[in-house]
Amino acid sequence: MNILQATSHPPLLPSAKPWVMTQTWHHLLFAHWPVTVAYIREFIPSPLTVDTIDGLAWVGIVPFNMSHIRFRGLSYIPGTSRFPKINVRTYIVHNSIPGVFFFSLDTTHPLAVIGARRFLSLPYYQVKTLCLLRYVSRLNSHNLFFITQEKRKFAFFHLSG
């Protein structure tokens, strides 16, 4: 399948619920690597199906900056409406509806971590510093690391390419 020619998707109806928050993304990078479904299946909850293109799953790394963050009915809170973020994701299907599964969402902002974990049940982690990814290539194999000031490794994938 030529992914650039693929335009069909299941009909998605807009939510009947009102929007909850607004945010703007800046300096965004979508970096993706193909992996076998077996390679990531154990990390995905069983009711979800790993989405594929030509039989391969995709692991994405998405670093960006967020701004203009506010909840519906509230104005911007000084010091809380701008911060960097990086997420490690793959794509899933549930009840014929495509979606995104986050392995981790990392940011330097403590209130974002607390709020997202508590109210949205998302796997947010607070870090002191966000670095962009380090990409090492050796003979068609790629090691992908995320490194923070705490030297905590968020994700390590050995991706054959």
Side-chain angles (χ1 to χ4, degrees):
M1 172 189 0
N2 181 345
I3 188 67
L4 298 177
Q5 301 297 317
T7 57
S8 66
H9 56 78
L12 299 175
L13 301 174
S15 174
K17 297 177 184 177
W19 62 274
V20 176
M21 69 180 301
T22 181
Q23 56 187 257
T24 303
W25 293 11
H26 307 270
H27 311 293
L28 179 68
L29 170 69
F30 281 93
H32 288 82
W33 287 265
V35 296
T36 64
V37 171
Y39 191 74
I40 62 170
R41 180 66 247 180
E42 69 180 282
F43 303 107
I44 310 298
S46 60
L48 306 177
T49 302
V50 177
D51 201 355
T52 62
I53 296 176
D54 293 335
L56 292 171
W58 290 81
V59 173
I61 310 300
V62 184
F64 59 98
N65 288 311
M66 289 176 62
S67 69
H68 302 99
I69 302 158
R70 71 176 180 87
F71 287 95
R72 184 183 182 112
L74 300 176
S75 54
Y76 301 108
I77 302 169
T80 65
S81 65
R82 177 179 289 273
F83 51 85
K85 185 173 156 185
I86 191 167
N87 66 57
V88 181
R89 58 168 57 194
T90 194
Y91 301 91
I92 51 90
V93 177
H94 182 61
N95 294 331
S96 301
I97 299 172
V100 176
F101 178 84
F102 294 105
F103 295 106
S104 73
L105 299 128
D106 305 295
T107 183
T108 57
H109 203 288
L111 290 178
V113 173
I114 292 167
R117 280 184 164 270
R118 181 174 215 174
F119 299 111
L120 303 174
S121 299
L122 290 171
Y124 264 75
Y125 298 92
Q126 184 181 352
V127 295
K128 290 183 183 175
T129 304
L130 276 179
C131 296
L132 292 182
L133 54 97
R134 178 176 147 212
Y135 180 72
V136 181
S137 180
R138 288 192 188 106
L139 302 175
N140 288 334
S141 292
H142 307 290
N143 291 323
L144 189 60
F145 297 90
F146 290 95
I147 301 168
T148 66
Q149 193 171 8
E150 300 89 353
K151 297 180 181 168
R152 178 167 66 108
K153 193 172 14 173
F154 294 118
F156 173 77
F157 295 101
H158 180 73
L159 308 172
S160 350

